[in-house]
Amino acid sequence: MIRFWKKKGVSGFRFDVVNLISKPDVFEDDYEGDGRRFYTDGPRIHQYLKELAGDTGIAGCMTVGEMSSTSLDNCVRYANPEEKELKMVFSFHHLKVDYKNGEKWALMEPDFNALRNLFVKWQEGMQEGHAWNAVFWCNHDQPRAVSRFGDDGRYWKESAKMLAALIHLMRGTPYIYQGEEIGMTNAGYTDISQYQDVESTNYYRILMEEGKSSEEALRIIGERSRDNGRTPMQWDGTENAGFGTGTPWLGIPANHTTINVETEKKDPDSIYAFYKKLVALRKQYEIIADGTIRFTDAGNDNIISYERVLNGQKLTVLCNLRGTEQAPGTPFEAPGGRLLIGNYADRDASSAVEKITALRPYETVAVLQG
């Protein structure tokens, strides 16, 4: 398959759950869990990936592996250039910080301290191992990030921008999933018949069998369903959000009349405009693309902060993950600092920012020194 598409001119490949392709020689019964340990990061996985890369001549291609229930040590090998396996990897541990007791279908508020610790482990750990991360919030298997970790109501615009800045200014290659760049939200369906994802419809039945009311089961499905990330792209405010004239595979969220590409392209302060700035900054500033990363202690579990350093410059990023004002435990000071990007209009880009004593709801600031 790789050779076929390479002949067509394709120069990038994503490998789905590729760390599961090495199976054990002996198939055992599992009495401890779901059997993942038997086939995850299997005994010959690195051999297979080296063969795959070598036999197909994809060393010059962009390659990214989706890694299921993986470990940091294995991902360092998958994405270290000296290993000659893959260019970068997706890992999913940070997308389980709102799983109560590790259960996808048990809701809880996101544990932002756990989120920070996972970013520290994977960002700094991959850096130490000379490996490369693929950083992301959304994909076809995840709910919409702004509905999940932000506020898709009052602070929709601010929280969507903050979540974007948090990962786009990290070390690694950021990925933008369709609709994320305009702040698309969860679907907001009101009946189980509107869902198509077999996992969601099966779990609705399971939740009902466990004694949940239909309202409670539907609320859980509404938060967790993969269909949230699979609704058609919201191009404009017309019927079907501008996605053709026939009946789409999934119903269009009602907010497509206000959240759509056509509307946001006209607004210089839109989420879409903010994403364009983030992409431009990564191309303009080498420190974002290639700088080292170190997470700092803001003295407040609701604030994630980190530093990027390169060639005498330092970029400090602070992100308030809450819908209330949050103060760093120690006021942030950056002598000679200037704002590179922020999500509140009254902080102008390139303006002097030498001290920050508080961050407004979902506020993010990136301050460059040197």
Side-chain angles (χ1 to χ4, degrees):
M1 285 189 288
I2 292 171
R3 292 182 183 125
F4 174 86
W5 289 109
K6 274 190 68 183
K7 288 179 181 178
K8 299 258 184 208
V10 170
S11 58
F13 296 89
R14 172 195 176 275
F15 298 101
D16 194 81
V17 290
V18 72
N19 64 318
L20 307 186
I21 63 174
S22 175
K23 304 298 192 293
D25 293 328
V26 178
F27 295 108
E28 304 175 45
D29 290 335
D30 181 49
Y31 300 101
E32 298 179 17
D34 60 4
R36 286 174 184 257
R37 70 184 189 280
F38 292 132
Y39 57 81
T40 301
D41 299 321
R44 300 175 69 186
I45 183 61
H46 295 287
Q47 172 193 339
Y48 291 165
L49 287 178
K50 286 177 172 63
E51 290 176 0
L52 182 71
D55 292 349
T56 57
I58 54 175
C61 295
M62 199 293 293
T63 56
V64 57
E66 182 194 29
M67 302 297 168
S68 170
S69 303
T70 190
S71 69
L72 174 61
D73 289 344
N74 276 295
C75 283
V76 164
R77 291 190 64 188
Y78 294 140
N80 183 321
E82 293 184 0
E83 294 285 343
K84 294 182 172 59
E85 295 183 10
L86 300 168
K87 293 294 193 298
M88 65 189 80
V89 293
F90 291 113
S91 62
F92 295 87
H93 300 78
H94 66 295
L95 296 178
K96 299 179 181 179
V97 297
D98 55 354
Y99 287 11
K100 189 174 182 179
N101 299 320
E103 297 291 333
K104 174 176 178 175
W105 304 97
L107 304 181
M108 75 172 198
E109 286 291 309
D111 182 341
F112 290 129
N113 190 48
L115 180 67
R116 178 189 180 277
N117 290 338
L118 285 163
F119 281 144
V120 171
K121 175 181 178 179
W122 283 86
Q123 283 280 301
E124 295 184 4
M126 291 287 276
Q127 174 177 257
E128 185 178 346
H130 308 289
W132 199 248
N133 276 308
V135 290
F136 72 105
W137 287 118
C138 298
N139 67 22
H140 61 287
D141 286 330
Q142 300 293 331
R144 293 287 178 175
V146 68
S147 296
R148 185 177 183 182
F149 300 115
D151 178 349
D152 59 13
R154 180 179 180 183
Y155 293 110
W156 165 70
K157 183 181 288 189
E158 292 85 354
S159 62
K161 291 181 178 181
M162 180 277 294
L163 290 168
L166 177 56
I167 65 165
H168 275 251
L169 299 174
M170 283 184 180
R171 179 182 182 273
T173 297
Y175 281 69
I176 302 170
Y177 179 69
Q178 64 92 7
E180 184 179 0
E181 74 276 32
I182 61 168
M184 280 178 60
T185 67
N186 281 350
Y189 293 151
T190 57
D191 192 273
I192 192 61
S193 63
Q194 294 173 282
Y195 290 91
Q196 298 293 326
D197 176 29
V198 65
E199 181 188 44
S200 300
T201 55
N202 282 344
Y203 258 92
Y204 178 82
R205 174 181 50 79
I206 291 169
L207 292 167
M208 294 286 285
E209 290 172 353
E210 290 176 348
K212 301 278 194 305
S213 67
S214 58
E215 291 79 11
E216 188 176 5
L218 191 63
R219 183 174 70 88
I220 294 170
I221 299 300
E223 293 274 348
R224 291 284 190 258
S225 177
R226 298 184 296 185
D227 279 344
N228 287 309
R230 299 176 179 184
T231 56
M233 182 67 182
Q234 293 169 200
W235 296 107
D236 59 37
T238 63
E239 186 179 4
N240 292 341
F243 206 96
T245 57
T247 302
W249 62 91
L250 280 171
I252 308 295
N255 61 19
H256 77 279
T257 56
T258 54
I259 300 176
N260 61 68
V261 175
E262 184 178 61
T263 298
E264 295 209 24
K265 285 176 71 174
K266 300 173 183 176
D267 178 7
D269 189 44
S270 68
I271 296 168
Y272 176 68
F274 192 81
Y275 268 85
K276 290 180 69 175
K277 290 177 185 176
L278 287 170
V279 172
L281 287 172
R282 178 167 281 263
K283 294 179 178 180
Q284 181 181 355
Y285 289 91
E286 191 178 357
I287 191 172
I288 300 175
D290 297 322
T292 60
I293 190 166
R294 182 181 73 87
F295 282 76
T296 54
D297 183 5
N300 183 332
D301 286 346
N302 297 311
I303 297 174
I304 288 181
S305 59
Y306 58 88
E307 297 174 347
R308 308 292 308 280
V309 175
L310 185 71
N311 297 332
Q313 286 189 318
K314 181 167 73 172
L315 178 68
T316 304
V317 180
L318 298 110
C319 295
N320 176 8
L321 297 160
R322 294 291 184 184
T324 54
E325 183 177 288
Q326 299 290 326
T330 303
F332 169 72
E333 296 184 359
R338 63 182 178 88
L339 184 71
L340 198 62
I341 191 169
N343 62 340
Y344 274 75
D346 59 351
R347 290 196 200 270
D348 296 326
S350 298
S351 62
V353 179
E354 297 194 346
K355 187 173 183 178
I356 294 175
T357 58
L359 293 170
R360 287 164 287 187
Y362 297 106
E363 185 170 16
T364 183
V365 293
V367 179
L368 184 64
Q369 294 170 271

